């Protein structure tokens, strides 16, 4: 996950389409890898659905980068960031849930 965060930061800082395509290709590969991970049974479907949404946005961003449409790339990256925040929030477990199940 740290590598995904690093690559995402690189994508946001990239200013040329060629750089973006390379970084987005790596992010897509990392997202596909994350889809293969084991998730808690009660949230597995939810997390996989979120990763699929992220994957679609990254693929759309890569297509936009290949067309040199940087504003569209940034729009897709904003969507990825929103999805990241949403699913990371859902992943958090409260102290009460840890104590009492």
């Amino acid at each position: 996950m740290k590598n995904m965060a690093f690559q995402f930061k690189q994508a946001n800082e990239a200013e040329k389409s060629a750089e973006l395509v390379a970084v987005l290709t790596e992010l897509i590969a990392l997202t596909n890898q994350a889809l293969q991970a084991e998730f808690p049974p009660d949230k597995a479907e939810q997390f996989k659905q979120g990763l699929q949404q992220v994957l679609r946005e990254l693929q759309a961003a890569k297509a936009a980068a290949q067309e040199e449409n940087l504003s569209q790339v940034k729009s897709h990256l904003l969507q990825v960031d929103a999805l990241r925040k949403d699913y990371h929030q859902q992943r958090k477990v409260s102290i009460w849930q840890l104590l009492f199940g």
Side-chain angles (χ1 to χ4, degrees):
M1 290 295 179
K2 287 183 182 183
N3 199 7
M4 287 179 81
F6 175 74
Q7 293 297 328
F8 185 77
K9 182 180 176 191
Q10 295 291 94
N12 277 316
E13 293 174 354
E15 295 179 9
K16 296 183 182 180
S17 293
E19 293 174 50
L20 276 167
V21 170
V23 172
L24 290 169
T25 299
E26 180 64 20
L27 263 172
I28 289 168
L30 290 170
T31 304
N32 279 320
Q33 191 176 21
L35 276 166
Q36 305 306 315
E38 292 292 323
F39 297 104
D42 61 327
K43 294 196 175 193
E45 188 62 36
Q46 181 181 19
F47 289 155
K48 287 186 180 197
Q49 179 184 8
L51 284 169
Q52 288 290 344
Q53 289 175 328
V54 167
L55 188 59
R56 282 191 296 275
E57 289 296 329
L58 290 173
Q59 289 168 337
K62 182 178 175 182
Q66 290 169 329
E67 296 172 1
E68 298 188 16
N69 187 345
L70 296 181
S71 64
Q72 193 69 19
V73 172
K74 297 300 179 184
S75 174
H76 288 295
L77 290 176
L78 285 173
Q79 277 297 112
V80 169
D81 195 42
L83 288 166
R84 177 192 61 82
K85 288 177 185 175
D86 183 39
Y87 282 92
H88 280 191
Q89 187 68 27
Q90 292 177 29
R91 189 183 73 194
K92 290 183 181 176
V93 178
S94 75
I95 185 71
W96 302 113
Q97 193 173 20
L98 289 173
L99 292 174
F100 301 109

